[in-house]
Amino acid sequence: MPIALACHRGIGPDVEGPALVAEDNFSARYDLDRLAGTFSRPAHKLHGQSYVGRILVLETAKGGVASAWMLREMAERKLAPLAIIFDRTNTILEQGAAFADMAMVDRFEKGRPTRLIRTGDRLRIEPAAGRVTILNRDS
Amino acid sequence: MKLTPEEQAMLAGEQGPVRQWAIRHQMAVGAFFDAEDFVAVSQAHIMADTESLGDSGVSWLEELVAQPGARLAVPTITDPRGLDLATYRRLKQTEAMASLEARASKAFEALGVLMTNTCINYQTVLPAVCGEHLAMGDTGVTIYVNSVMGAHSNFEGGPSALAAGLTGRTPRYGYHLPQHRRGTRHFELTRRPRDLADWGALGGIVGRIANSYWEVPVISGLETSPTSDELKHLGTAMASFGSVALFHIPGITPEAATVSDAFQGAAAPKPVTVGADEFARFYEGYAQAGEKVDVVVFGAPQLSIVEMQQLANLLDGRTVHEGTTLLVTTSPEVKHSADRMGLTGRIEAAGGIVASGICFYQSYAREMGEANGWHRLLTNSAKLVNIIGGYGYQPSLGTTEQCVESAIAGRMR
């Protein structure tokens, strides 16, 4: 039976895709090469990796405020993550997800999602239900 | 969320499609954070530089303002823009960037937005009042008005700040609620910062440890008040390194007459000591002594008129090295004053460039770096060294004086 993780009610549509996990944070402005679709800040744990079409699983959101515009712009160019899962988001990224209609959830009942989910896991996110399912592993 | 009759009318589209979009967006945001209702705001501040908007964002904005009934409910101002029309060619920014910027400005102006183009509006436009609810769209502005002025704002991303300007309200969550304003982390300062870079370093040290929008650091050990510029660098760095939106300094900031006040009467946690060793380690992370410096940046946040004078004094009679660019970014209000007082002329006589209404990292920093061959960057802004690495720069942090001396020598001093 797939592993179901309960979280706070999120935002955006239901989606299914592969996870990209790091015990690090996220800013669309400071961490990404948005033209290449990769993490570009050298100190980031996902430096050099593509985020396009992935479900990012990270610790928390950082500034700047520009990220709120950028998620939508990235989605329009088909160079966006599929969804973002945080342990706890800040307001900016959540506002950006609302503007971009991107799936986002946080506040998990069983602890930090970066410890519960592994890179390569296939996930289904149901934001309205507050649920993330790891499809490739059994509970 | 509980809605007033006016909010229900907005949601039903009775005040036009633009306010209907705005309140729908705000309700989605509010639901995520369990907001029970809205709170009226007296002002909104929008971060909407064209680097982040992109062509699609500008087109979206143009379509929005062309709709019937598109008008603001409260005074709404802007954060720095993507470029300064007076300096963009010297910085090798492109005509396409300038054209996009002009389109965005025209759309905002059609809506009645005041193009203040500043991240230091609390120093130059309309300082916040204790207890005032605002929708501030810059992390450095938000942390300053919350902490130093006792106002109430969350980080409001561009679309949300625009929505607040259109509806005159914002969902009541986060730092609009007193229970989130209680101190959660305690720091004891044993070495007072000396330079603006030190104040930024302190913000960086505290921000790295706090590391969450929902943490509220309390910094003890300061016996006399820092200046507005010092608190500006402290706050912007803390917000940048830690996503922090509120801090207290007992005896200095308005919600914390005492340590006990800062924690709203709860027991203070054991403090983390921040002293000379912590500062030294922070600087070591950005050290490149002896290396060539391509660009020295004073900005992030924009300079006050006092910082402009300090810089002019340090540059008088000196000449910036021919292989180095010295760039200063300030607000339009400060630039006008600096022009009138001769400060701009003194900085530019030494070979510096003074740009107005931009803040470097919001100004196509990657493209500017590539066009100008800039790689090694030196600044007195801890915020800037934290964020600019992702744009292809190798950043160093130095005191204001070290930055000037390095610009003159063309090498890191």
Side-chain angles (χ1 to χ4, degrees), chain B residues 250-295:
Chain B
I252 291 171
T253 57
E255 292 175 68
T258 64
V259 171
S260 177
D261 280 354
F263 291 97
Q264 295 184 0
K270 187 178 175 211
V272 174
T273 300
V274 180
D277 289 349
E278 286 72 24
F279 280 97
R281 276 199 294 275
F282 188 87
Y283 276 95
E284 278 168 17
Y286 302 102
Q288 296 174 64
E291 298 285 352
K292 178 183 181 299
V293 58
D294 300 314
V295 59

Side-chain angles (χ1 to χ4, degrees), chain B residues 200-256:
Chain B
L202 174 60
I205 293 164
V206 170
R208 276 178 177 163
I209 295 170
N211 196 37
S212 170
Y213 183 77
W214 306 97
E215 297 282 355
V216 179
V218 176
I219 304 171
S220 301
L222 278 167
E223 292 175 358
T224 55
S225 294
T227 66
S228 173
D229 285 332
E230 290 167 344
L231 289 167
K232 177 173 78 172
H233 276 265
L234 172 69
T236 51
M238 206 184 301
S240 177
F241 280 87
S243 194
V244 173
L246 170 67
F247 64 85
H248 300 301
I249 303 178
I252 291 171
T253 57
E255 292 175 68

